Amino acid sequence: PLAAFGDDIAELLDRLDLASAAVVGHSLGGYAAAAIAQRQPARVTRLVLEEPGIPPRVPGQRHGLSGPRFALSALAGLVVRRGFDRKAVTSAVSQLRAPDPAWWEGLASITAPTLLISGGPASHIPAQLLAEVAGRIPQSQLVTIPAGHRVHSRSPDAYLAAVVPFLVDEGAS
């Protein structure tokens, strides 16, 4: 199941013998980063969610991967150009399209200072949805960098200008 991706991060921290760490995730990685921050809040010191995968709260709600702006060609690109496993991609997208009210409720349990990054109008994830996610996480801020879904690769200077100071300020919290 998709929720196990957060467990994978916890296992990696265990193998690296790290009690806690700053966690940065993009897209599906953002979903996984939020999952560990929800389930094991003490393990995450800072959280950066760049255009995270966001499941709907209720049946019939359409946004992100199920919304009208999401192109199936993007999935094909992951499989063909990037070599991702077709079944894994299809499974992850199917699960992210399924309502998950528990994920939404779990946002309030995130204790790490959190930076959410929106790709702005060119992204398939609506900015107002990311604003709603930010509003449910106690210590969060939302930054918009109008670069589309892949902010880190399409606007690396702006991405680093937002993320690095946030992570460096770790000792201030």
Side-chain angles (χ1 to χ4, degrees), residues 68-144:
R69 295 181 56 197
F70 181 72
L72 291 178
S73 62
L75 286 179
L78 289 175
V79 172
V80 175
R81 289 190 309 274
R82 301 203 181 231
F84 288 18
D85 180 88
R86 180 182 309 272
K87 288 181 183 177
V89 170
T90 303
S91 175
V93 169
S94 294
Q95 290 178 64
L96 275 174
R97 287 179 171 171
D100 189 354
W103 185 88
W104 282 90
E105 292 166 11
L107 294 172
S109 66
I110 295 175
T111 58
T114 302
L115 176 65
L116 272 96
I117 300 175
S118 168
S123 173
H124 64 276
I125 299 177
Q128 68 270 18
L129 185 63
L130 288 171
E132 188 174 347
V133 170
R136 291 173 176 259
I137 299 173
Q139 297 181 70
S140 67
Q141 58 183 318
L142 176 63
V143 172
T144 299

Side-chain angles (χ1 to χ4, degrees), residues 20-60:
S20 62
V23 179
V24 178
H26 167 252
S27 197
L28 179 56
Y31 177 94
I36 187 174
Q38 290 177 13
R39 294 165 68 181
Q40 297 186 36
R43 300 216 64 183
V44 180
T45 58
R46 287 275 209 218
L47 181 62
V48 178
L49 304 174
E50 174 196 356
E51 289 275 308
I54 302 171
R57 282 177 302 233
V58 295

